[in-house]
Amino acid sequence: MLRCRMGIKHKRIKATFLALIILGLSLFCSGCFANNFVKKFGTNITEYNIDLKLEDKKTMLGKQTVNYKNTSSNILGEVYFHLYPNSFSDVAVNKPVSKLYESKAYPNGLSFGKIEINDVKIGNDNCSYTFENTDNDLLKITLNAPLYPNDFVKIFLDYKITIPNVLHRFGYNDKTINLGNFYPIACVFDADDWDKHPYSSNGDPFYSGIANYNVSINYPNDYILANTGNKIQSHENITNGTITTNMQAKAVRDFAMVLSTEFKTKSQLVEDTEITYYYYGDEKSDDSMSVAQKALSTFNNKYGKYPYTTLAVVETGFLYGGMEYPNLVMISDGLDKYDDYCITIIHEIAHQWWYGVVGNNEYDYGWLDESLAEYSVVVFYENNPEYEIMRDVCVKNAITSYTLFVDVYKDVFKQVDTSMNRKLNQFNTEPEYVYAAYVKGMIMFDDIRNLIGDKNFFDSLKNYYKKMGGHNATPNNLIEIFEDTSHRRLKAIFESYLDGTAIIGNVENKPQN
Ligand SMILES: [Zn+2]
């Protein structure tokens, strides 16, 4: 997600900066590898088969069969699924929108969503299941027999989804229906236990493994559909005015869609990937497509090739700048400045590398993908000089912005915790999260780059992409790959940023107790 502008033309004084923080930042703002990736990671893995019926913009019915693979070394007696829509319910404690942004997110008044589970079966057999977490956003399915490592179990789910009227990744608005994190998705079994994190209004509270998807959706025929993966076929049923579209996505870590009756589209082939731009209000759609095309080319070149054949760039109603999903990025139609719209396209496309191919626990290590996506905006402008945005100016403005944030926060709150290595729910405010995960993360990578040189830096990122692609990375994986590639000891400098002791600008940032 993009929540924060880098401050490329930052000239604000402290007072207006404070207002910005408090009142709300509207924009929180290898060829062989690619060819083999889907084949390598899309074989013998968990598969989702999902049949959806969008009855209207508020209601969707689902039947889902998951052929779940136990990728752990433990014998499993249960399988957990996230039920993220329940975080949008009226009684949810861990709400998807903080108080600060509530009026902006719900322009038509508060609206609520949920997912009701009607039936769960294992194979054809009934089974016991319960809901967990404060907001019932976890489904625990007790297996009828132990599931051994590398074995599969077929789980059937029947559900009804209520879509809220909210400018968010899951919600409908005046222009679009955003379907992100809408279906039951298997939790990750990590380090001998299930990851059961709740929702958070900070960041992107998601974590999943690579899987294959076969999804069909039936919807009113006046809608146009943007989606993860490839459309295999569409069939129009004239008698009831609906279309059924079948889609397939292999070796992806999530599946998302956006529907609108107003979408116009344009497509362009970039190397082996067809970018399709879905838009309705963008008056510079050719320029936006050009930015998307250059972003894909730049990151293919600097990090390693994007392994998928489709990428949907989607203008949509959204509270923040944008949101990333595999093969699909949401770009907010509410951005005031076109420059910010372009930055969001670049940032979200960079997430295809950092989050999409190289995954990570976004709840525990939100900075890991966000700081790389943010630094990728610098990399983009550096490699596309026609936009006349210089690397040193980007970094200098980020440092100015960051030190001002620390100063102001200390003035107002008497203390500031600048550590990056916190779980999403451990950040006190959204600005605190944004400045730690995005702005400071971007400064950190530029500092590391200055230390080890350009070649070592980009070789490290290429190695990180190559080694961790298809997997979920941890901070230690990143640090070790940078150290191995550059033959430099970097753990201490990385950790000084992560624990909040690094000196940035003239500000010494000590973590608070
Ligand atoms: Zn992001």
Side-chain angles (χ1 to χ4, degrees), residues 152-365:
F152 288 82
V153 61
K154 199 164 275 188
I155 298 169
F156 171 78
L157 301 136
D158 181 298
Y159 49 82
K160 178 183 176 184
I161 296 169
T162 303
I163 304 166
N165 181 199
V166 59
L167 291 163
H168 218 322
R169 49 174 85 94
F170 170 65
Y172 74 88
N173 57 78
D174 293 345
K175 300 284 188 186
T176 58
I177 305 170
N178 292 335
L179 296 173
N181 315 97
F182 66 92
Y183 62 93
I185 186 169
C187 298
V188 175
F189 190 90
D190 230 4
D192 294 334
D193 202 1
W194 292 94
D195 170 72
K196 301 179 191 175
H197 70 262
Y199 215 90
S200 172
S201 57
N202 285 335
D204 306 332
F206 310 116
Y207 183 32
S208 57
I210 294 276
N212 290 336
Y213 286 80
N214 299 297
V215 180
S216 78
I217 181 168
N218 177 264
Y219 52 100
N221 63 7
D222 51 347
Y223 279 100
I224 291 167
L225 171 68
N227 59 281
T228 296
N230 297 280
K231 291 185 177 81
I232 304 300
Q233 62 175 16
S234 283
H235 170 73
E236 185 162 6
N237 187 335
I238 297 167
T239 53
N240 65 5
T242 66
I243 297 175
T244 300
T245 298
N246 298 306
M247 297 154 282
Q248 187 178 66
K250 289 199 158 192
V252 292
R253 61 183 71 252
D254 204 346
F255 191 96
M257 296 176 284
V258 182
L259 296 103
S260 176
T261 58
E262 299 188 28
F263 278 147
K264 292 178 269 189
T265 64
K266 54 182 62 174
S267 296
Q268 186 175 340
L269 191 64
V270 179
E271 298 176 38
D272 298 323
T273 302
E274 184 174 50
I275 300 178
T276 303
Y277 183 35
Y278 298 80
Y279 64 100
Y280 43 85
D282 182 4
E283 293 173 351
K284 297 181 178 177
S285 56
D286 285 340
D287 293 346
S288 305
M289 178 57 115
S290 177
V291 167
Q293 172 255 311
K294 289 174 185 173
L296 193 67
S297 292
T298 301
F299 302 144
N300 271 346
N301 183 35
K302 301 306 287 187
Y303 305 146
K305 201 167 177 194
Y306 176 76
Y308 305 106
T309 55
T310 64
L311 175 61
V313 178
V314 187
E315 180 184 11
T316 189
F318 191 62
L319 171 63
Y320 302 112
M323 180 69 200
E324 69 279 11
Y325 290 97
N327 313 160
L328 184 150
V329 294
M330 299 176 179
I331 312 296
S332 174
D333 66 8
L335 296 168
D336 293 334
K337 295 177 183 167
Y338 184 67
D339 283 354
D340 292 339
Y341 194 83
C342 294
I343 288 171
T344 305
I345 292 173
I346 300 161
H347 175 105
E348 304 306 342
I349 288 180
H351 271 303
Q352 296 301 312
W353 280 256
W354 320 123
Y355 151 78
V357 176
V358 180
N360 58 276
N361 185 332
E362 298 179 89
Y363 194 84
D364 286 0
Y365 315 118

